[in-house]
Structure formats: structure tokens, C-alpha cells
Amino acid sequence: MSPERHKAQVDAQELVAQADTGARSLSGNLGTMIAAIAFIWSAFQLYVASNVPFWLYDMTGINLIFNNSEVRFIHVAFGLVLAAFAYPLFSRSPRHTIPWYDWVLAFLGAAACLYLVFMRSEIADRAGLPTQMDLIVSTTGLSVLAIAVYRSLGLPLVVVAVVFLAYAMFGNSPFLPEVVQWRGASYGKAMWHYWMQLEGVFGVAVGVSSSMIFLFVLFGSLLEKAGAGNYFIKAAFSLLGHLRGGPAKAAVLASAMSGLYSGSSIANVVTTGTFTIPLMKRTGFPAEKAGAVEVASSVNGQLMPPVMGAAAFLIAEFTGVSYQQVVIHAFIPAVISYIALVYIVHLEALKMNLKGLPKPPVHMTVIRRLIGVLTGFIGITVLGLAVYYGLGWIKVAMPALTFPVVLLLFVVGYLYLAYVAAQVPDLEVDDPNAPIKELPAAGDVGRTGYYYILPIVVLIWCILVERFSPSLSAFYATMAMVFIVVTQHPLKAYFRTQTQAGQFGQGVVDFTEGMIGGARNMIGIAVATAAAGIIVGTVSLTGMHQMIAALVEFLSGGNLLLMLFLVAVMSLILGMGLPTTANYLVVSSLMALVVVDLGEQTGFIVPLIAVHFFVFYFGIMADVTPPVGLAAFAAAAISRGDPIKTGVQGFIYSMRTAALPFLFIFNTDLLLIDVGLMQAIFVFIVSVVAMMLFAAATQGYFFARSKLWESVTLLLIAFTLFRPGFWLDQIQEPYVDAAGPAIVQMIADAPAGDMVRLNLAGPDFDDMDKIITLTLALVIGDEQGGEARLNASGLVAVSNDGALALEEPFPSTKFAEKLQGFDFYGDVPVVIVSAQVDAERLPKELFYIPALLLLLLIVMIQRRRQTQPAF
């Protein structure tokens, strides 16, 4: 490897260390100590996720069971200690030793967290009346946390958290604009809220981090240590390397596969980019475009189920949607975004007239290869159906034997696939600068690591079929991965009839390094979720999202599209410099409810899961967007290109990702909400075509270089395929309206399970001279009669001069919180202005016909100018 190339790789690895695992490099006793702490953290998280504590209690009577809150406290304690030891506090701080002040900070951080463990019962008895020691501990804990966040994640999150903390305590200051003031909290109340109970630092975010995210990050670390990262890269190159722009297409596929378990876009860039970026440059991609392809594909990996950069579990927690449903909702947008990126790479290769890498010689006819491929697909399908329905039958007939049967099948499958892998040499990590005479055969690469798929199969089986909790599913998948890591080397040596001396030891070393790596990868996530708890706690304490909603409403002037654009920009800004998990926590806490509230005020109702995906997507875009796109800096360190130009090009490639949130806000079919299987397949096909047309329009190339009017036409076609309902709304009203007493009759006539939109208007609670509006989605129950159905939802309506006036709902009823903004006791009543149900209309899919005809016209026109095959 050339010195310049080696320096680039070292720079990139250093960037990952600074962002993910800690830039301090320690050896000797100090290195062993940090490794031991990290290993113990991983072991502790596996212990509390298992049934071992309960088994120990049943067998020995020793109570080593930790409740959920105690696990949160210990989780943060480990994060603070390792942050102090692994990350230098200042740029000039020593990298090869631990200064005295870091020992002090580690001790204080651990003590502040463990104080909550050992004093838990006494704290509960005080019921919100903190002692002086409570205040000292809380102040110390928050201070150490701020320092840990600064050293591991940088200044942005610290500044945001401090601003929110200051707002909670000084929100009543007269120098603040009246619109953002609130009554303020005393120092004691704030410290109690943020540290002494589960509303701030140790809130929902840390709960998800300690119970689910850690296990998935550990699973990914073990998978990487087992060799899966190199396997996925080689598999991607063997499948796509021979195509036009093959290395770039392989980079996209490798990043997609890495995204299955990775929680960091920066680590993804370096893991796959170290190999893919030099090869892209060698095949003709400029440095900035090579880096941008890797950045765009790695950032997209954060959107790929089942992990989604460790944010999938937080989304499930905050929206109340099951984790399984979150995975299903995220599937189509993530996959079509990746397909579109592959197509963008293909278009770039066409524009630059690039060729693929040399492929291995073919020793069989096309017919035999086709039969082999079909046999493989049919075999996998039959095996999948046998496992699904076979185990499904066993679960029903003999539920007690389901787990032993799954365990047996796993072991048998693993032994067979390990035997298959032993028949071919292990994969080596190639030098990307070495000359490539030909690509490896896909079959040979595949055989070396099919067994890596088994733990992922276990994970998906547990989540989607057995319906286990995400934490329990991750535990079983991690234990399956541990078994493979420890045994793969001696097992393959046995099948190869080679000496097994040292092979088992290598497995133990890989397992130990995987455990340590998983914990070190979690340092930033642990302290980020703790700091984000301050933001979440402030929002819940002050109702801050309502103030932001008022600001956005003022700036947008009530225009829905402008409001969504402002929220997108704010999410992009808030996400700059933050890792995926903290990124989502910040943007969702502040911006998700803004979209919901303002949408309801303008008559636009959108599912909460779609809103959270909207802000999540734009928060993630901060990783690629200059000037703080850390993934772009990592890619530029490898490509030796300009980081700002790399980020700009990466943003251009990611425009398809930026368009998706706007599309699924208005067309929730893309998220498979209330969509059947056949319709889901249809939606997927249409969405892929639409997104590829969008990519062609933005790249200015389809079958040939596009003229401006052709690109605009392609955008119009893509928009129509994505949202045909827009055109239908122009010729047919989407709703049937009712007003006055007819509203009650409309509700009475609606079938159970349908939705009726109730449009409300009434005086503002804070300004009785102001009339505000709100739209409620009333899901019809089984009750008979309109009044009974309204009452079942906590709404009491009375006739008032021909209008339907609402009484104030009881606090515990469904819509009580949403209606808090109305004044029910003024002279002007709160009324249901109108009710709406979906109208019977033409199928919106009819508009696909003119769109496809227009597409055919564009194809015919461009084919005349075509100079090379389009595919």
C-alpha cells in the first residue's frame, strides 16, 4: 500500500475513532483496564437481557435481578466512565495515558449514577423533595454528562442541551419574548426532574438504549468481528463489479448490507469505503463523486431496517407502534431509495462511459446458469416455506418444543454451511490498490459465509414470527452470533482435516474483541441518549413544542407545504454533528408534534409514524450536508478529495431521499399503512419506477442526455406515479361534507372502523378574541347512534342555534389533551363546523395511464439520440 494511501486510511480510521469508539490509544495495564470495563459492560447487558438472573434466584435464592430503572442508571454509569477514559478532553490532551482529571470525572460520573441505585428506596420516599445531597449529586451528574458529551460527540449537543436546561429554569425571564415564556422551574425542581427520576436523563431514550440498542450494536460488532463485513463487500463486488460503474454499485449494495446491523454512517463509510472508494477512482469516478457515492449509500444504511441506525426502537417507543410495524413501514422507502441510488450510479457511468471490472470466465452455458439460479431461488423459497409453516405448525401443536426445534435446525444448518465454507479458502482482505485481474466468482464468495446469515434469520424470526420483544430477539440473535464467532475457526479446521491447535483460541479472541468493540461503539450512543433526555424532559416539562409550532405557523403563514419545508430545514440544522440516535431524539422531540399540531389545525391528518419518519429522514441528511457532514469528511479522507465538494455531490445524490418524506406524508401507501399484500407489491413496483424516473430527472440523463423540458416532464411523471391522488383531488372532491345536526346522522351512518373527520372551531384559551381551528380523526366504534359514538370518544355535543356545540371533555378522555387549546367557557361556543367522510370517487390509479403514455413519448424521443445501451 502506498504511503499516501496508508495515510488516507489512517486519517479515516482516526475520524471514526473520534466519532464512535474513542480516540485515546492505551496499552499495557491501562489498555487492559479499559478493555475489561468494556467487556464487563457488554456482559452485564447480556446478563440483564437473559433469564439468568431469575434462574440464579430460583436455584440459589440470591437476588441479582436488576429492575428497568437500575439498568438505566448502571448503563449511563458505564458510558460516563468509558467516555472519560477513551476520549481525550481537549485536542492537546494525552492520547497514550489517562490524566488525573479524567480519573476524577470517571469516579464522579459513576458515583452520581450509582447513588440512584443504592438510594432508590429513600429517594422514592422523598416524593419530589430533594435533599442537599440530592442536589449535589444531580449537579455533579449533569456536569459530568455535559463533559462526556463534549468529548465524545462535540459541542453541538452540549449547547442544545444547555439551552434547554436554561429555558426550563429561566423561562419566565422578562428579557424573553412573551410568546416563548413559561412560569419557569426552581433549581431544585429542575434537578429532581432531570436527574433524580425517570423524566430527564434516565428517561425513555436511555431506557431504549439500555434494553435494546446496546444488544443490536453488540450484535453488529460481533458480526463484523466474525468477518461478515469483508464477506458482504466481496459478495457485493462479485455480484455487481462487472457492470458499468461496478465498484460504485457494489459500494451501494455493500453499504445496504452493512446497514442491516450498523448504527453509524461514519463507520459504514470507512468500513466499506476503504475498499470501494479507491476502486471507484480507478474505474473513472472523480474523487468527489467516488466519496459522494459511498456517503449517500452509507447514510441510506441508517434508514435500512431492522436497525435503522439504532433509531427503530426509539421510533416504536415514541409513536406507540410496535417494532415489527416500524420495520414494515420503513421497508419500501429504504429499498426504493437504494435502488434509485444504484440507478444514479448507473447513469453516472453512462455519462462517463465507464466499464466494469473483469469478471471470471464462464465454464457453462447460459441455460445451465439460468437453471442453477432458478434452482437456488426455488430451493431458498421451499426452505423458507418449510421453516415458516413447519415451525408454525410445531408452535401450535407442541408449543413447548418450538425453541428446541429451532435450536436444532440452527445447529444443523450451521454445521452444514460451515462444511460448505470449509471446501473453499477463507476470504482475504484485499488491498484496493492491488491490480484486479478478475472478480471472484459469486458462488465461491457466497459459500465462504452463508452461515453469517443465520443469526440475522434468527433475529427476524424472533421479531416477525415469534413476536418476541426486540430486546429478547436481539439477545437470542447475539447468542447465536457468539456461538458462531467462537466455533467457526475450529469447525472449519475440523472439516478441512487441519490441526485445530489455536483455532478455538482465535474464536475466543474474536469474541472478546467483539464484546469490547460493541461496548466502545455504545459510548457515544449512551451519553447521547442521556443528554437527549434533557431535551425530551424539557419539552414534557414546559410544552416547548407548542411555542415552536406557533413560530413555524407564523413563518409559514398557514401554508402546509411551506410548513413542512420549514420543519425539514429545522430538522436538518438540529441534526448537524449528531450521531443517528441523538439526531432522531432531538428532531423528533422538537419537530414531530409541530407537524401533527399544525396539520390538525389546517385540516391535514397524517399518521404519527409518518411524521416521525419525516423528521428522522431529514435529521439523517445532516450526515451528508455541508458544512458539518461528518460522513462526507470521512469519505474525503479516503478519496483525498475536497470534503465540501464531496458533501455537495453527496447531497445531490441524496435528493431522492429528501423527496421521499414529502411523498409519504401525502401518500401513506409508501409506508404500507393499511395496505394489503397484493397492493403492497403493486405500490413497491410503481414506487421503484417513479423513484428511478426522479433520479433520471435530477441527473439529467435517461436514455440520452436530457433536455430541460424532458427532465421537467420526467419529474411530472414521477410525481404522478407517487401521488396520483393529487390530480384526482382537482376533479373530484375527496370528502362528503355535513354540517349542523346532519353531522350526528353522518356519524350514525358510518360503518364501524371507518374514520370521520370532525372540523372544529372555537375561541383560543389564551386569546378569547382569536378563533382557532382543529381537525379530529374520529374512528367509528360499534355503538349504535351518532350521539353514542361521540360519547364513546369523550365528545358531548349539543345543538345550539342550528350548530353543534361541544362541551369540555373530561381530562381522561381520548381528545381531552388535543382540545386544551379551546376556551369552553366564553361567550362564543366551540362548535363542530362540519364532518367529512371519504367520497366515492374514481380510482386514483387511472392517472397512471396518461403518465405512462407520456413516459413512452419521452422514451421514443430519447431513443433517437441514444448512443449506447441504456442498461
Side-chain angles (χ1 to χ4, degrees):
M1 185 180 294
S2 66
E4 182 182 356
R5 168 75 194 133
H6 177 71
K7 183 180 185 302
Q9 185 171 347
V10 169
D11 290 345
Q13 295 288 354
E14 176 69 12
L15 184 58
V16 172
Q18 292 174 3
D20 283 339
T21 60
R24 185 170 278 153
S25 177
L26 300 171
S27 57
N29 292 333
L30 291 178
T32 302
M33 178 196 70
I34 291 182
I37 294 173
F39 185 91
I40 292 170
W41 190 10
S42 293
F44 170 77
Q45 296 288 167
L46 285 175
Y47 171 79
V48 296
S50 69
N51 289 323
V52 172
F54 304 96
W55 177 81
L56 279 176
Y57 182 74
D58 292 338
M59 295 293 293
T60 65
I62 300 174
N63 186 0
L64 291 177
I65 300 172
F66 295 90
N67 62 38
N68 181 267
S69 58
E70 291 170 341
V71 172
R72 297 184 191 190
F73 304 146
I74 297 172
H75 178 81
V76 175
F78 272 113
L80 294 178
V81 170
L82 286 176
F85 289 156
Y87 290 87
L89 182 54
F90 305 108
S91 58
R92 295 183 178 180
S93 296
R95 300 296 181 96
H96 304 293
T97 187
I98 301 175
W100 66 268
Y101 52 81
D102 282 343
W103 288 97
V104 174
L105 288 172
F107 172 79
L108 291 176
C113 294
L114 297 181
Y115 174 83
L116 301 175
V117 176
F118 294 108
M119 301 293 290
R120 190 66 184 155
S121 58
E122 289 83 351
I123 292 171
D125 292 338
R126 290 201 280 275
L129 299 173
T131 64
Q132 185 175 10
M133 180 56 71
D134 292 342
L135 296 179
I136 292 173
V137 168
S138 301
T139 305
T140 302
L142 287 171
S143 302
V144 174
L145 175 61
I147 296 171
V149 172
Y150 168 73
R151 70 199 310 163
S152 58
L153 302 172
L155 195 58
L157 185 56
V158 178
V159 172
V160 172
V162 169
V163 168
F164 276 74
L165 186 62
Y167 177 72
M169 290 192 289
F170 305 110
N172 58 348
S173 300
F175 61 82
L176 289 175
E178 186 177 346
V179 69
V180 302
Q181 287 185 14
W182 83 293
R183 65 180 181 272
S186 66
Y187 184 76
K189 180 178 180 180
M191 292 300 102
W192 183 270
H193 182 78
Y194 288 117
W195 192 265
M196 301 300 295
Q197 57 179 352
L198 305 182
E199 297 291 334
V201 169
F202 303 102
V204 172
V206 165
V208 175
S209 176
S210 61
S211 63
M212 288 179 269
I213 295 177
F214 192 104
L215 293 175
F216 277 88
V217 171
L218 178 60
F219 172 76
S221 176
L222 290 167
L223 194 62
E224 179 70 31
K225 187 56 63 176
N230 185 48
Y231 173 73
F232 288 155
I233 292 173
K234 289 288 186 71
F237 270 86
S238 65
L239 290 170
L240 301 178
H242 64 283
L243 303 174
R244 285 182 182 272
K249 292 176 181 176
V252 176
L253 181 59
S255 293
M257 291 188 288
S258 298
L260 292 173
Y261 60 84
S262 174
S264 167
S265 57
I266 301 171
N268 201 334
V269 165
V270 174
T271 301
T272 58
T274 299
F275 189 73
T276 60
I277 290 175
L279 286 176
M280 281 189 267
K281 291 176 65 177
R282 287 174 53 195
T283 54
F285 274 84
E288 284 77 17
K289 286 191 174 183
V293 168
E294 183 59 49
V295 168
S297 54
S298 295
V299 169
N300 251 94
Q302 304 302 286
L303 309 175
M304 179 63 68
V307 176
M308 298 173 66
F313 321 105
L314 291 165
I315 294 174
E317 192 73 26
F318 286 136
T319 60
V321 176
S322 69
Y323 171 72
Q324 294 87 346
Q325 286 298 315
V326 170
V327 170
I328 293 171
H329 295 325
F331 178 75
I332 283 186
V335 172
I336 66 174
S337 189
Y338 262 118
I339 292 173
L341 183 56
V342 172
Y343 185 53
I344 287 173
V345 168
H346 179 73
L347 294 175
E348 288 282 20
L350 284 174
K351 288 190 283 187
M352 292 183 281
N353 196 24
L354 303 182
K355 305 299 181 184
L357 298 173
K359 58 183 178 181
V362 179
H363 300 295
M364 52 181 155
T365 65
V366 174
I367 298 296
R368 290 183 62 189
R369 292 179 67 193
L370 181 60
I371 292 174
V373 171
L374 290 176
T375 302
F377 275 114
I378 293 171
I380 292 173
T381 303
V382 170
L383 178 62
L385 291 174
V387 170
Y388 184 85
Y389 288 105
L391 290 180
W393 176 82
I394 292 172
K395 184 178 180 180
V396 173
M398 297 173 289
L401 294 179
T402 303
F403 184 81
V405 170
V406 172
L407 184 62
L408 178 63
L409 287 176
F410 172 81
V411 172
V412 171
Y414 171 54
L415 291 175
Y416 172 71
L417 294 176
Y419 172 78
V420 170
Q423 309 310 305
V424 292
D426 291 338
L427 292 178
E428 299 290 337
V429 179
D430 295 333
D431 181 356
N433 290 315
I436 298 179
K437 297 180 179 179
E438 65 180 34
L439 289 168
D444 292 341
V445 173
R447 283 194 291 273
T448 63
Y450 283 136
Y451 57 84
Y452 291 135
I453 308 299
L454 288 177
I456 299 176
V457 171
V458 170
L459 174 65
I460 295 174
W461 169 264
C462 290
I463 290 173
L464 299 182
V465 180
E466 290 290 339
R467 301 284 179 171
F468 290 158
S469 68
S471 57
L472 187 59
S473 302
F475 171 75
Y476 283 130
T478 303
M479 296 311 296
M481 197 66 243
V482 168
F483 179 70
I484 288 176
V485 169
V486 173
T487 61
Q488 62 172 339
H489 296 299
L491 199 56
K492 286 192 287 188
Y494 172 79
F495 287 134
R496 290 167 179 163
T497 64
Q498 298 174 346
T499 177
Q500 300 177 51
Q503 297 295 329
F504 182 77
Q506 180 61 46
V508 173
V509 169
D510 289 344
F511 161 68
T512 304
E513 291 181 351
M515 295 279 281
I516 295 170
R520 294 194 65 147
N521 288 335
M522 273 299 300
I523 299 172
I525 296 176
V527 298
T529 52
I534 296 174
I535 299 167
V536 176
T538 301
V539 172
S540 65
L541 182 65
T542 67
M544 190 178 185
H545 69 279
Q546 296 174 350
M547 178 268 292
I548 297 176
L551 175 63
V552 173
E553 182 183 19
F554 172 76
L555 294 175
S556 64
N559 183 284
L560 183 61
L561 276 176
L562 182 55
M563 179 267 288
L564 290 173
F565 177 76
L566 288 172
V567 170
V569 172
M570 289 182 178
S571 299
L572 196 63
I573 294 172
L574 288 169
M576 287 184 177
L578 299 181
T580 302
T581 313
N583 188 321
Y584 166 71
L585 285 168
V586 172
V587 298
S588 64
S589 300
L590 291 177
M591 306 311 302
L593 289 177
V594 171
V595 178
V596 173
D597 290 347
L598 294 183
E600 289 175 345
Q601 291 176 26
T602 57
F604 179 70
I605 297 176
V606 62
L608 185 59
I609 184 71
V611 174
H612 276 258
F613 275 1
F614 182 90
V615 297
F616 175 57
Y617 267 55
F618 279 104
I620 289 299
M621 289 291 290
D623 274 353
V624 65
T625 308
V628 195
L630 296 182
F633 280 88
I638 299 172
S639 69
R640 312 310 291 175
D642 183 275
I644 299 298
K645 291 181 179 178
T646 301
V648 171
Q649 187 65 54
F651 181 79
I652 293 173
Y653 289 156
S654 298
M655 285 176 63
R656 79 218 180 281
T657 305
L660 272 172
F662 286 96
L663 294 169
F664 60 59
I665 279 284
F666 291 101
N667 182 10
T668 56
D669 288 354
L670 290 172
L671 299 179
L672 300 182
I673 295 176
D674 298 326
V675 169
L677 177 61
M678 296 308 298
Q679 187 181 358
I681 296 172
F682 180 73
V683 168
F684 175 74
I685 294 172
V686 172
S687 301
V688 168
V689 173
M691 187 53 76
M692 292 176 70
L693 294 176
F694 179 85
T698 55
Q699 293 302 306
Y701 197 103
F702 191 30
F703 283 77
R705 291 191 182 275
S706 299
K707 299 177 181 178
L708 179 60
W709 72 268
E710 291 173 337
S711 294
V712 172
T713 304
L714 288 175
L715 285 175
L716 180 65
I717 297 169
F719 174 77
T720 302
L721 294 178
F722 271 124
R723 194 172 175 241
F726 174 82
W727 304 111
L728 184 58
D729 290 345
Q730 308 309 308
I731 62 173
Q732 285 186 314
E733 290 295 331
Y735 304 111
V736 175
D737 292 297
I743 294 173
V744 179
Q745 188 60 45
M746 174 180 278
I747 295 171
D749 295 339
D754 278 13
M755 185 187 78
V756 176
R757 295 161 50 93
L758 301 179
N759 299 310
L760 279 57
D764 189 346
F765 183 83
D766 297 318
D767 183 1
M768 289 186 295
D769 295 328
K770 177 183 177 183
I771 300 297
I772 59 175
T773 59
L774 182 68
T775 299
L776 299 180
L778 177 66
V779 179
I780 300 301
D782 296 327
E783 299 81 13
Q784 298 298 316
E787 291 184 358
R789 288 175 165 181
L790 282 170
N791 293 340
S793 297
L795 299 176
V796 179
V798 294
S799 181
N800 185 353
D801 295 332
L804 207 59
L806 275 182
E807 295 183 1
E808 184 177 18
F810 289 107
S812 59
T813 53
K814 180 178 179 181
F815 296 113
E817 186 175 351
K818 289 183 178 295
L819 299 179
Q820 286 179 351
F822 288 107
D823 182 1
F824 286 90
Y825 299 100
D827 295 332
V828 179
V830 179
V831 298
I832 304 178
V833 177
S834 64
Q836 298 171 320
V837 295
D838 291 336
E840 293 185 6
R841 303 193 294 172
L842 294 170
K844 62 183 179 181
E845 289 77 14
L846 285 176
F847 289 92
Y848 291 159
I849 297 174
L852 294 176
L853 290 175
L854 194 56
L855 175 61
L856 180 61
L857 176 63
I858 296 294
V859 171
M860 292 172 60
I861 292 173
Q862 289 213 354
R863 283 291 296 270
R864 298 174 183 175
R865 307 198 305 269
Q866 185 177 351
T867 58
Q868 54 185 328
F871 294 97

